Short mmCIF file of all heavy atoms in Angstrom, two decimals:
data_model
loop_
_atom_site.label_atom_id
_atom_site.label_comp_id
_atom_site.label_asym_id
_atom_site.label_seq_id
_atom_site.Cartn_x
_atom_site.Cartn_y
_atom_site.Cartn_z
N MET G 1 -3.04 2.16 -5.23
CA MET G 1 -3.66 3.40 -4.81
C MET G 1 -4.69 3.97 -5.74
O MET G 1 -5.80 4.25 -5.39
CB MET G 1 -2.60 4.42 -4.38
CG MET G 1 -3.19 5.80 -3.94
SD MET G 1 -3.52 6.97 -5.35
CE MET G 1 -2.00 7.50 -5.81
N GLU G 2 -4.28 4.01 -7.02
CA GLU G 2 -5.22 4.57 -8.03
C GLU G 2 -6.41 3.69 -8.15
O GLU G 2 -7.52 4.17 -8.38
CB GLU G 2 -4.50 4.78 -9.36
CG GLU G 2 -3.47 5.86 -9.28
CD GLU G 2 -2.60 5.99 -10.52
OE1 GLU G 2 -2.55 5.10 -11.35
OE2 GLU G 2 -2.08 7.06 -10.69
N ALA G 3 -6.19 2.40 -8.13
CA ALA G 3 -7.40 1.43 -8.16
C ALA G 3 -8.31 1.66 -7.03
O ALA G 3 -9.54 1.63 -7.21
CB ALA G 3 -6.93 0.01 -8.21
N LEU G 4 -7.79 1.92 -5.84
CA LEU G 4 -8.62 2.14 -4.71
C LEU G 4 -9.40 3.47 -4.85
O LEU G 4 -10.58 3.56 -4.67
CB LEU G 4 -7.77 2.12 -3.45
CG LEU G 4 -7.21 0.80 -2.89
CD1 LEU G 4 -6.13 1.03 -1.79
CD2 LEU G 4 -8.34 -0.15 -2.42
N ARG G 5 -8.56 4.52 -5.13
CA ARG G 5 -9.17 5.88 -5.20
C ARG G 5 -10.24 5.92 -6.31
O ARG G 5 -11.30 6.49 -6.14
CB ARG G 5 -8.02 6.84 -5.49
CG ARG G 5 -8.47 8.28 -5.57
CD ARG G 5 -7.39 9.14 -6.30
NE ARG G 5 -7.02 8.65 -7.66
CZ ARG G 5 -6.07 8.90 -8.30
NH1 ARG G 5 -5.05 9.58 -7.80
NH2 ARG G 5 -5.87 8.40 -9.55
N ASP G 6 -9.92 5.33 -7.51
CA ASP G 6 -10.77 5.46 -8.64
C ASP G 6 -12.09 4.66 -8.51
O ASP G 6 -13.00 4.87 -9.26
CB ASP G 6 -10.05 5.04 -10.01
CG ASP G 6 -8.95 5.97 -10.26
OD1 ASP G 6 -8.81 7.09 -9.69
OD2 ASP G 6 -8.07 5.69 -11.18
N ASN G 7 -12.07 3.72 -7.49
CA ASN G 7 -13.22 2.96 -7.26
C ASN G 7 -14.00 3.30 -6.07
O ASN G 7 -14.85 2.60 -5.54
CB ASN G 7 -12.88 1.44 -7.28
CG ASN G 7 -12.56 0.85 -8.67
OD1 ASN G 7 -13.52 0.68 -9.39
ND2 ASN G 7 -11.32 0.74 -8.98
N GLY G 8 -13.60 4.53 -5.55
CA GLY G 8 -14.38 5.15 -4.53
C GLY G 8 -14.06 4.74 -3.11
O GLY G 8 -14.75 5.08 -2.11
N PHE G 9 -12.98 4.07 -2.95
CA PHE G 9 -12.55 3.71 -1.54
C PHE G 9 -11.96 4.95 -0.87
O PHE G 9 -11.29 5.76 -1.52
CB PHE G 9 -11.61 2.55 -1.54
CG PHE G 9 -12.19 1.23 -1.85
CD1 PHE G 9 -12.21 0.82 -3.22
CD2 PHE G 9 -12.83 0.45 -1.03
CE1 PHE G 9 -12.81 -0.38 -3.70
CE2 PHE G 9 -13.41 -0.72 -1.36
CZ PHE G 9 -13.46 -1.11 -2.66
N PRO G 10 -12.17 5.00 0.45
CA PRO G 10 -11.66 6.23 1.18
C PRO G 10 -10.25 6.25 1.53
O PRO G 10 -9.82 5.97 2.58
CB PRO G 10 -12.58 6.14 2.46
CG PRO G 10 -12.74 4.68 2.70
CD PRO G 10 -12.85 4.01 1.30
N ILE G 11 -9.46 6.49 0.48
CA ILE G 11 -8.00 6.55 0.67
C ILE G 11 -7.42 7.99 0.34
O ILE G 11 -7.92 8.54 -0.67
CB ILE G 11 -7.29 5.49 -0.14
CG1 ILE G 11 -5.82 5.43 0.20
CG2 ILE G 11 -7.41 5.69 -1.70
CD1 ILE G 11 -5.26 3.97 0.14
N ALA G 12 -6.84 8.56 1.26
CA ALA G 12 -6.37 10.01 1.11
C ALA G 12 -5.41 10.21 0.02
O ALA G 12 -5.68 11.03 -0.89
CB ALA G 12 -5.85 10.54 2.42
N ALA G 13 -4.35 9.48 0.00
CA ALA G 13 -3.28 9.46 -1.07
C ALA G 13 -2.96 10.98 -1.42
O ALA G 13 -2.98 11.40 -2.56
CB ALA G 13 -3.76 8.79 -2.30
N GLU G 14 -2.66 11.78 -0.29
CA GLU G 14 -2.48 13.21 -0.44
C GLU G 14 -1.31 13.60 -1.41
O GLU G 14 -1.47 14.68 -2.05
CB GLU G 14 -2.28 13.77 0.96
CG GLU G 14 -3.58 13.65 1.79
CD GLU G 14 -3.28 14.14 3.24
OE1 GLU G 14 -2.20 14.54 3.52
OE2 GLU G 14 -4.24 14.09 3.98
N CYS G 15 -0.36 12.76 -1.61
CA CYS G 15 0.78 13.28 -2.45
C CYS G 15 0.61 12.72 -3.85
O CYS G 15 1.40 12.95 -4.72
CB CYS G 15 2.09 12.75 -1.91
SG CYS G 15 2.47 11.06 -2.11
N GLY G 16 -0.47 12.05 -4.13
CA GLY G 16 -0.80 11.62 -5.54
C GLY G 16 0.14 10.46 -6.01
O GLY G 16 0.21 10.19 -7.26
N GLY G 17 0.74 9.78 -5.10
CA GLY G 17 1.46 8.65 -5.49
C GLY G 17 2.99 8.90 -5.48
O GLY G 17 3.77 8.11 -6.05
N ALA G 18 3.46 10.02 -4.97
CA ALA G 18 4.82 10.36 -5.02
C ALA G 18 5.66 9.76 -3.84
O ALA G 18 6.90 10.14 -3.67
CB ALA G 18 4.99 11.82 -4.97
N CYS G 19 5.05 8.88 -3.11
CA CYS G 19 5.73 8.24 -2.00
C CYS G 19 6.26 9.23 -1.01
O CYS G 19 7.41 9.30 -0.49
CB CYS G 19 6.89 7.35 -2.47
SG CYS G 19 7.47 6.17 -1.18
N ALA G 20 5.35 10.21 -0.67
CA ALA G 20 5.77 11.34 0.23
C ALA G 20 4.83 11.64 1.23
O ALA G 20 4.86 12.79 1.90
CB ALA G 20 6.08 12.64 -0.72
N CYS G 21 3.85 10.76 1.58
CA CYS G 21 2.84 11.12 2.57
C CYS G 21 2.35 9.98 3.52
O CYS G 21 1.97 10.19 4.59
CB CYS G 21 1.59 11.80 1.86
SG CYS G 21 0.55 10.57 0.99
N ALA G 22 2.35 8.78 3.00
CA ALA G 22 1.96 7.58 3.74
C ALA G 22 0.53 7.55 3.97
O ALA G 22 0.01 6.72 4.75
CB ALA G 22 2.71 7.37 5.03
N THR G 23 -0.35 8.47 3.34
CA THR G 23 -1.76 8.36 3.49
C THR G 23 -2.52 7.39 2.61
O THR G 23 -3.61 7.29 2.55
CB THR G 23 -2.43 9.73 3.29
OG1 THR G 23 -2.14 10.20 1.99
CG2 THR G 23 -1.86 10.73 4.31
N CYS G 24 -1.66 6.52 1.96
CA CYS G 24 -2.17 5.51 1.11
C CYS G 24 -1.87 4.14 1.77
O CYS G 24 -1.85 3.12 1.13
CB CYS G 24 -1.69 5.51 -0.26
SG CYS G 24 0.10 5.28 -0.38
N HIS G 25 -1.49 4.14 3.06
CA HIS G 25 -1.09 2.96 3.83
C HIS G 25 -2.17 1.89 3.81
O HIS G 25 -3.33 2.11 4.15
CB HIS G 25 -0.82 3.42 5.30
CG HIS G 25 -0.41 2.37 6.20
ND1 HIS G 25 -0.47 2.59 7.55
CD2 HIS G 25 0.06 1.07 5.98
CE1 HIS G 25 0.01 1.52 8.19
NE2 HIS G 25 0.34 0.60 7.24
N VAL G 26 -1.76 0.67 3.39
CA VAL G 26 -2.67 -0.49 3.42
C VAL G 26 -2.04 -1.64 4.07
O VAL G 26 -0.84 -1.78 4.23
CB VAL G 26 -3.08 -0.89 2.02
CG1 VAL G 26 -3.89 0.21 1.39
CG2 VAL G 26 -1.92 -1.30 1.12
N TYR G 27 -2.86 -2.62 4.47
CA TYR G 27 -2.32 -3.94 4.90
C TYR G 27 -2.59 -4.87 3.89
O TYR G 27 -3.79 -5.05 3.47
CB TYR G 27 -3.05 -4.32 6.26
CG TYR G 27 -2.91 -3.36 7.36
CD1 TYR G 27 -4.10 -2.74 7.94
CD2 TYR G 27 -1.68 -2.95 7.84
CE1 TYR G 27 -3.97 -1.89 8.95
CE2 TYR G 27 -1.69 -2.00 8.86
CZ TYR G 27 -2.75 -1.51 9.36
OH TYR G 27 -2.74 -0.56 10.37
N VAL G 28 -1.58 -5.63 3.39
CA VAL G 28 -1.73 -6.58 2.31
C VAL G 28 -2.05 -7.93 2.94
O VAL G 28 -1.45 -8.35 3.89
CB VAL G 28 -0.39 -6.65 1.54
CG1 VAL G 28 -0.49 -7.71 0.49
CG2 VAL G 28 -0.05 -5.37 0.92
N GLU G 29 -3.11 -8.53 2.47
CA GLU G 29 -3.66 -9.76 2.92
C GLU G 29 -2.51 -10.86 2.86
O GLU G 29 -1.75 -10.87 1.97
CB GLU G 29 -4.86 -10.23 2.23
CG GLU G 29 -5.61 -11.37 2.86
CD GLU G 29 -6.96 -11.60 2.27
OE1 GLU G 29 -7.81 -10.72 2.51
OE2 GLU G 29 -7.22 -12.56 1.62
N GLU G 30 -2.55 -11.76 3.91
CA GLU G 30 -1.69 -12.87 4.00
C GLU G 30 -1.73 -13.69 2.64
O GLU G 30 -2.81 -13.86 2.04
CB GLU G 30 -2.04 -13.82 5.07
CG GLU G 30 -1.09 -14.91 5.29
CD GLU G 30 -1.45 -15.71 6.60
OE1 GLU G 30 -2.09 -15.19 7.46
OE2 GLU G 30 -1.07 -16.85 6.66
N GLY G 31 -0.55 -14.02 2.12
CA GLY G 31 -0.52 -14.84 0.87
C GLY G 31 -0.18 -13.86 -0.33
O GLY G 31 0.32 -14.31 -1.33
N TRP G 32 -0.44 -12.54 -0.14
CA TRP G 32 -0.20 -11.63 -1.13
C TRP G 32 1.12 -10.86 -0.87
O TRP G 32 1.87 -10.48 -1.84
CB TRP G 32 -1.35 -10.59 -1.36
CG TRP G 32 -2.44 -11.25 -2.16
CD1 TRP G 32 -3.57 -11.67 -1.63
CD2 TRP G 32 -2.48 -11.40 -3.61
NE1 TRP G 32 -4.39 -12.15 -2.64
CE2 TRP G 32 -3.77 -11.99 -3.80
CE3 TRP G 32 -1.68 -11.14 -4.61
CZ2 TRP G 32 -4.13 -12.42 -5.13
CZ3 TRP G 32 -2.05 -11.47 -5.91
CH2 TRP G 32 -3.28 -12.08 -6.14
N ALA G 33 1.42 -10.51 0.30
CA ALA G 33 2.46 -9.73 0.75
C ALA G 33 3.81 -10.34 0.22
O ALA G 33 4.69 -9.64 -0.34
CB ALA G 33 2.57 -9.54 2.22
N GLU G 34 3.96 -11.71 0.25
CA GLU G 34 5.17 -12.29 -0.16
C GLU G 34 5.36 -12.22 -1.76
O GLU G 34 6.39 -12.44 -2.16
CB GLU G 34 5.09 -13.83 0.19
CG GLU G 34 4.80 -14.06 1.62
CD GLU G 34 3.34 -13.97 2.02
OE1 GLU G 34 2.49 -14.50 1.31
OE2 GLU G 34 3.04 -13.26 3.00
N LYS G 35 4.24 -11.95 -2.44
CA LYS G 35 4.39 -11.96 -3.90
C LYS G 35 4.81 -10.53 -4.43
O LYS G 35 5.09 -10.48 -5.59
CB LYS G 35 2.99 -12.26 -4.55
CG LYS G 35 2.55 -13.66 -4.21
CD LYS G 35 1.14 -13.99 -4.73
CE LYS G 35 0.67 -15.35 -4.44
NZ LYS G 35 -0.66 -15.64 -4.81
N LEU G 36 4.77 -9.61 -3.51
CA LEU G 36 5.21 -8.29 -3.94
C LEU G 36 6.66 -8.04 -3.88
O LEU G 36 7.30 -8.65 -3.04
CB LEU G 36 4.45 -7.22 -3.04
CG LEU G 36 3.07 -7.20 -3.02
CD1 LEU G 36 2.46 -6.23 -2.08
CD2 LEU G 36 2.41 -6.87 -4.36
N PRO G 37 7.19 -7.22 -4.70
CA PRO G 37 8.66 -6.91 -4.62
C PRO G 37 8.91 -6.22 -3.23
O PRO G 37 8.03 -5.56 -2.66
CB PRO G 37 8.87 -5.89 -5.72
CG PRO G 37 7.71 -5.98 -6.59
CD PRO G 37 6.61 -6.51 -5.82
N GLU G 38 10.14 -6.40 -2.75
CA GLU G 38 10.39 -5.70 -1.47
C GLU G 38 10.27 -4.18 -1.60
O GLU G 38 10.51 -3.55 -2.67
CB GLU G 38 11.87 -5.96 -1.15
CG GLU G 38 12.13 -7.38 -0.72
CD GLU G 38 11.47 -7.81 0.58
OE1 GLU G 38 11.58 -7.02 1.54
OE2 GLU G 38 10.77 -8.82 0.56
N PRO G 39 9.87 -3.53 -0.53
CA PRO G 39 9.70 -2.05 -0.63
C PRO G 39 11.04 -1.37 -0.85
O PRO G 39 12.01 -1.75 -0.33
CB PRO G 39 9.04 -1.66 0.71
CG PRO G 39 9.35 -2.88 1.58
CD PRO G 39 9.49 -4.01 0.76
N LYS G 40 11.03 -0.28 -1.60
CA LYS G 40 12.23 0.51 -1.81
C LYS G 40 12.42 1.35 -0.49
O LYS G 40 11.58 1.46 0.29
CB LYS G 40 12.10 1.41 -3.04
CG LYS G 40 12.05 0.63 -4.27
CD LYS G 40 11.93 1.54 -5.53
CE LYS G 40 11.83 0.62 -6.73
NZ LYS G 40 11.34 1.43 -7.86
N ALA G 41 13.65 1.88 -0.39
CA ALA G 41 14.02 2.68 0.77
C ALA G 41 13.05 3.87 0.99
O ALA G 41 12.78 4.05 2.17
CB ALA G 41 15.50 3.18 0.59
N GLU G 42 12.60 4.57 -0.06
CA GLU G 42 11.69 5.69 0.15
C GLU G 42 10.36 5.19 0.87
O GLU G 42 9.88 5.83 1.69
CB GLU G 42 11.34 6.28 -1.22
CG GLU G 42 12.50 6.73 -2.01
CD GLU G 42 13.07 5.62 -2.87
OE1 GLU G 42 12.31 5.08 -3.66
OE2 GLU G 42 14.24 5.19 -2.64
N GLU G 43 9.89 3.99 0.41
CA GLU G 43 8.62 3.47 0.99
C GLU G 43 8.89 3.13 2.42
O GLU G 43 8.04 3.37 3.31
CB GLU G 43 8.16 2.28 0.20
CG GLU G 43 6.81 1.70 0.75
CD GLU G 43 6.33 0.54 -0.02
OE1 GLU G 43 6.89 0.19 -1.13
OE2 GLU G 43 5.29 -0.09 0.35
N VAL G 44 10.01 2.48 2.75
CA VAL G 44 10.32 2.10 4.11
C VAL G 44 10.38 3.40 5.03
O VAL G 44 9.83 3.34 6.12
CB VAL G 44 11.70 1.25 4.18
CG1 VAL G 44 11.96 1.05 5.59
CG2 VAL G 44 11.53 -0.10 3.44
N ASP G 45 11.10 4.37 4.48
CA ASP G 45 11.18 5.61 5.27
C ASP G 45 9.77 6.26 5.53
O ASP G 45 9.52 6.71 6.68
CB ASP G 45 12.00 6.66 4.49
CG ASP G 45 13.42 6.22 4.48
OD1 ASP G 45 13.91 5.30 5.28
OD2 ASP G 45 14.30 6.88 3.69
N MET G 46 8.86 6.22 4.52
CA MET G 46 7.60 6.80 4.74
C MET G 46 6.71 5.92 5.71
O MET G 46 5.96 6.44 6.55
CB MET G 46 6.80 6.91 3.42
CG MET G 46 7.30 8.01 2.50
SD MET G 46 7.55 9.67 3.32
CE MET G 46 5.98 9.90 4.00
N LEU G 47 6.89 4.60 5.57
CA LEU G 47 6.19 3.76 6.55
C LEU G 47 6.64 3.99 7.98
O LEU G 47 5.81 3.75 9.00
CB LEU G 47 6.30 2.26 6.12
CG LEU G 47 5.36 1.82 5.02
CD1 LEU G 47 5.79 0.37 4.43
CD2 LEU G 47 3.97 1.80 5.36
N ASP G 48 7.91 4.38 8.08
CA ASP G 48 8.40 4.68 9.49
C ASP G 48 7.60 5.82 10.17
O ASP G 48 7.50 5.90 11.37
CB ASP G 48 9.75 5.12 9.41
CG ASP G 48 10.70 3.83 9.42
OD1 ASP G 48 10.28 2.79 9.56
OD2 ASP G 48 11.94 4.02 9.01
N MET G 49 7.00 6.59 9.29
CA MET G 49 6.16 7.74 9.86
C MET G 49 4.64 7.54 9.95
O MET G 49 3.87 8.32 10.41
CB MET G 49 6.42 9.01 8.99
CG MET G 49 7.83 9.49 9.09
SD MET G 49 8.16 11.07 8.23
CE MET G 49 8.80 10.45 6.72
N ALA G 50 4.23 6.32 9.43
CA ALA G 50 2.80 5.96 9.35
C ALA G 50 2.39 5.43 10.78
O ALA G 50 3.30 5.00 11.65
CB ALA G 50 2.51 4.89 8.35
N LEU G 51 1.11 5.51 10.97
CA LEU G 51 0.57 5.00 12.29
C LEU G 51 0.17 3.61 12.08
O LEU G 51 -0.12 3.13 10.88
CB LEU G 51 -0.74 5.80 12.59
CG LEU G 51 -0.57 7.26 12.85
CD1 LEU G 51 -1.90 7.91 13.07
CD2 LEU G 51 0.42 7.50 14.01
N ALA G 52 0.15 2.77 13.24
CA ALA G 52 -0.33 1.39 13.19
C ALA G 52 0.28 0.52 12.06
O ALA G 52 -0.39 -0.24 11.50
CB ALA G 52 -1.89 1.37 13.01
N VAL G 53 1.61 0.66 11.96
CA VAL G 53 2.25 -0.12 10.98
C VAL G 53 2.39 -1.68 11.42
O VAL G 53 2.59 -1.83 12.60
CB VAL G 53 3.75 0.42 10.76
CG1 VAL G 53 4.53 -0.51 9.90
CG2 VAL G 53 3.67 1.83 10.13
N GLN G 54 2.21 -2.48 10.56
CA GLN G 54 2.22 -3.92 10.78
C GLN G 54 3.24 -4.55 9.80
O GLN G 54 3.63 -3.92 8.81
CB GLN G 54 0.83 -4.52 10.59
CG GLN G 54 -0.16 -3.99 11.50
CD GLN G 54 -1.61 -4.64 11.33
OE1 GLN G 54 -1.81 -5.54 10.51
NE2 GLN G 54 -2.54 -4.04 11.97
N PRO G 55 3.59 -5.79 10.03
CA PRO G 55 4.53 -6.45 9.13
C PRO G 55 4.01 -6.50 7.70
O PRO G 55 4.86 -6.50 6.73
CB PRO G 55 4.74 -7.88 9.67
CG PRO G 55 4.34 -7.71 11.14
CD PRO G 55 3.29 -6.66 11.22
N ASN G 56 2.76 -6.44 7.49
CA ASN G 56 2.15 -6.53 6.10
C ASN G 56 1.79 -5.13 5.63
O ASN G 56 1.09 -5.02 4.65
CB ASN G 56 1.02 -7.45 6.07
CG ASN G 56 -0.11 -7.02 6.97
OD1 ASN G 56 0.13 -6.26 7.95
ND2 ASN G 56 -1.31 -7.51 6.73
N SER G 57 2.28 -4.11 6.21
CA SER G 57 2.05 -2.71 5.71
C SER G 57 2.79 -2.42 4.49
O SER G 57 3.96 -2.74 4.33
CB SER G 57 2.50 -1.67 6.81
OG SER G 57 1.58 -1.77 7.92
N ARG G 58 2.11 -1.79 3.54
CA ARG G 58 2.67 -1.18 2.34
C ARG G 58 2.00 0.08 2.05
O ARG G 58 0.97 0.41 2.47
CB ARG G 58 2.50 -2.22 1.20
CG ARG G 58 3.21 -3.49 1.34
CD ARG G 58 4.76 -3.40 1.44
NE ARG G 58 5.36 -2.83 0.22
CZ ARG G 58 5.93 -3.48 -0.75
NH1 ARG G 58 5.99 -4.77 -0.72
NH2 ARG G 58 6.47 -2.91 -1.82
N LEU G 59 2.68 0.87 1.22
CA LEU G 59 2.05 2.06 0.59
C LEU G 59 1.42 1.61 -0.66
O LEU G 59 2.11 1.18 -1.61
CB LEU G 59 3.10 3.18 0.38
CG LEU G 59 3.75 3.71 1.69
CD1 LEU G 59 4.75 4.78 1.37
CD2 LEU G 59 2.69 4.12 2.73
N SER G 60 0.12 1.82 -0.80
CA SER G 60 -0.58 1.22 -1.97
C SER G 60 -0.15 1.87 -3.30
O SER G 60 -0.18 1.30 -4.32
CB SER G 60 -2.09 1.34 -1.83
OG SER G 60 -2.46 2.71 -1.68
N CYS G 61 0.44 3.11 -3.15
CA CYS G 61 0.89 3.84 -4.42
C CYS G 61 2.21 3.19 -4.98
O CYS G 61 2.56 3.45 -6.08
CB CYS G 61 1.15 5.30 -4.21
SG CYS G 61 2.49 5.70 -3.15
N GLN G 62 2.83 2.38 -4.18
CA GLN G 62 3.99 1.68 -4.61
C GLN G 62 3.69 0.21 -5.04
O GLN G 62 4.64 -0.54 -5.46
CB GLN G 62 5.04 1.71 -3.51
CG GLN G 62 5.40 3.09 -3.01
CD GLN G 62 5.89 3.97 -4.12
OE1 GLN G 62 6.87 3.63 -4.79
NE2 GLN G 62 5.18 5.12 -4.44
N ILE G 63 2.50 -0.10 -5.05
CA ILE G 63 2.12 -1.50 -5.54
C ILE G 63 1.61 -1.37 -7.01
O ILE G 63 0.64 -0.66 -7.27
CB ILE G 63 0.99 -2.14 -4.76
CG1 ILE G 63 1.44 -2.27 -3.21
CG2 ILE G 63 0.54 -3.47 -5.26
CD1 ILE G 63 0.37 -2.73 -2.28
N ILE G 64 2.37 -1.99 -7.88
CA ILE G 64 2.07 -1.80 -9.36
C ILE G 64 0.98 -2.81 -9.74
O ILE G 64 1.14 -4.03 -9.44
CB ILE G 64 3.31 -1.96 -10.16
CG1 ILE G 64 4.41 -1.04 -9.75
CG2 ILE G 64 3.02 -1.79 -11.62
CD1 ILE G 64 4.06 0.42 -9.75
N CYS G 65 -0.06 -2.36 -10.41
CA CYS G 65 -1.03 -3.32 -10.92
C CYS G 65 -0.44 -4.11 -12.15
O CYS G 65 0.05 -3.45 -13.02
CB CYS G 65 -2.30 -2.60 -11.31
SG CYS G 65 -3.19 -1.87 -9.90
N SER G 66 -0.47 -5.31 -12.06
CA SER G 66 0.12 -6.17 -13.07
C SER G 66 -0.63 -7.58 -12.99
O SER G 66 -1.44 -7.82 -12.08
CB SER G 66 1.52 -6.38 -12.92
OG SER G 66 1.79 -7.15 -11.73
N ALA G 67 -0.26 -8.46 -13.96
CA ALA G 67 -0.82 -9.82 -13.84
C ALA G 67 -0.49 -10.41 -12.44
O ALA G 67 -1.35 -11.22 -11.93
CB ALA G 67 -0.32 -10.64 -14.96
N GLU G 68 0.66 -10.08 -11.96
CA GLU G 68 1.08 -10.71 -10.71
C GLU G 68 0.32 -10.23 -9.42
O GLU G 68 0.15 -10.88 -8.42
CB GLU G 68 2.57 -10.38 -10.45
CG GLU G 68 3.50 -11.25 -11.28
CD GLU G 68 3.59 -10.67 -12.83
OE1 GLU G 68 3.41 -9.51 -12.86
OE2 GLU G 68 3.68 -11.47 -13.69
N THR G 69 -0.29 -9.04 -9.55
CA THR G 69 -1.06 -8.50 -8.46
C THR G 69 -2.50 -8.57 -8.72
O THR G 69 -3.31 -8.03 -7.95
CB THR G 69 -0.59 -7.08 -8.16
OG1 THR G 69 -0.72 -6.26 -9.36
CG2 THR G 69 0.81 -6.94 -7.61
N ASP G 70 -2.97 -9.13 -9.77
CA ASP G 70 -4.32 -9.23 -10.17
C ASP G 70 -5.11 -10.00 -9.08
O ASP G 70 -4.65 -11.05 -8.79
CB ASP G 70 -4.57 -9.89 -11.54
CG ASP G 70 -6.02 -9.88 -11.92
OD1 ASP G 70 -6.72 -8.95 -11.52
OD2 ASP G 70 -6.37 -10.69 -12.72
N GLY G 71 -6.05 -9.47 -8.39
CA GLY G 71 -6.82 -10.00 -7.32
C GLY G 71 -6.27 -9.78 -5.96
O GLY G 71 -6.86 -10.22 -4.93
N ILE G 72 -5.27 -8.98 -5.82
CA ILE G 72 -4.65 -8.67 -4.53
C ILE G 72 -5.75 -8.06 -3.64
O ILE G 72 -6.61 -7.35 -4.01
CB ILE G 72 -3.54 -7.74 -4.66
CG1 ILE G 72 -2.68 -7.57 -3.29
CG2 ILE G 72 -3.87 -6.40 -5.23
CD1 ILE G 72 -1.41 -6.85 -3.47
N LYS G 73 -5.61 -8.47 -2.31
CA LYS G 73 -6.53 -8.07 -1.39
C LYS G 73 -5.82 -7.17 -0.32
O LYS G 73 -4.78 -7.67 0.21
CB LYS G 73 -7.30 -9.17 -0.69
CG LYS G 73 -8.19 -9.91 -1.64
CD LYS G 73 -9.09 -10.89 -0.83
CE LYS G 73 -10.17 -11.33 -1.80
NZ LYS G 73 -9.98 -12.52 -2.49
N VAL G 74 -6.28 -6.00 -0.03
CA VAL G 74 -5.74 -5.13 0.94
C VAL G 74 -6.79 -4.56 1.87
O VAL G 74 -7.89 -4.49 1.48
CB VAL G 74 -4.87 -3.94 0.31
CG1 VAL G 74 -3.78 -4.54 -0.51
CG2 VAL G 74 -5.79 -3.03 -0.49
N THR G 75 -6.44 -4.08 3.03
CA THR G 75 -7.27 -3.33 3.89
C THR G 75 -6.65 -1.92 4.15
O THR G 75 -5.42 -1.88 4.39
CB THR G 75 -7.44 -4.06 5.28
OG1 THR G 75 -7.94 -5.35 5.06
CG2 THR G 75 -8.29 -3.27 6.23
N ILE G 76 -7.49 -0.95 3.96
CA ILE G 76 -6.98 0.45 4.24
C ILE G 76 -6.69 0.66 5.67
O ILE G 76 -7.48 0.35 6.49
CB ILE G 76 -8.01 1.48 3.71
CG1 ILE G 76 -8.11 1.29 2.15
CG2 ILE G 76 -7.43 2.86 4.05
CD1 ILE G 76 -9.24 2.16 1.57
N ALA G 77 -5.44 1.08 6.01
CA ALA G 77 -4.96 1.33 7.37
C ALA G 77 -5.63 2.54 7.97
O ALA G 77 -5.97 3.40 7.24
CB ALA G 77 -3.50 1.43 7.36
N PRO G 78 -5.89 2.64 9.26
CA PRO G 78 -6.43 3.83 9.83
C PRO G 78 -5.42 4.99 9.73
O PRO G 78 -4.21 4.72 9.74
CB PRO G 78 -6.64 3.49 11.38
CG PRO G 78 -5.71 2.31 11.50
CD PRO G 78 -5.53 1.50 10.25
N GLU G 79 -5.92 6.15 9.58
CA GLU G 79 -5.04 7.38 9.50
C GLU G 79 -4.64 7.77 10.84
O GLU G 79 -5.35 7.77 11.81
CB GLU G 79 -5.72 8.49 8.70
CG GLU G 79 -5.85 8.20 7.23
CD GLU G 79 -6.20 9.43 6.39
OE1 GLU G 79 -5.56 10.53 6.65
OE2 GLU G 79 -7.05 9.25 5.59
FE1 FES Q 101 1.34 9.55 -0.86
FE2 FES Q 101 1.30 6.93 -1.44
S1 FES Q 101 0.03 8.50 -2.07
S2 FES Q 101 2.79 7.96 -0.21
#
């Protein structure tokens, strides 16, 4: 989420990354979703309230930038 926000992408991220709003909802591109850790219960609960949820939906504030996620591709979900 911070990488998207800090690079000017239109992501609301209203709660600032506290996993309390779902306005950082993204779709993780095929091939990357499987590399991410499973979402924690808080993320799953917030995604339940998001619109247009897909199997590859994640909250971008819960995706940690690391060597494993370097190059990850996501699409910002509609609000
Ligand atoms: Fe609010 Fe991710 S920024 S849930």
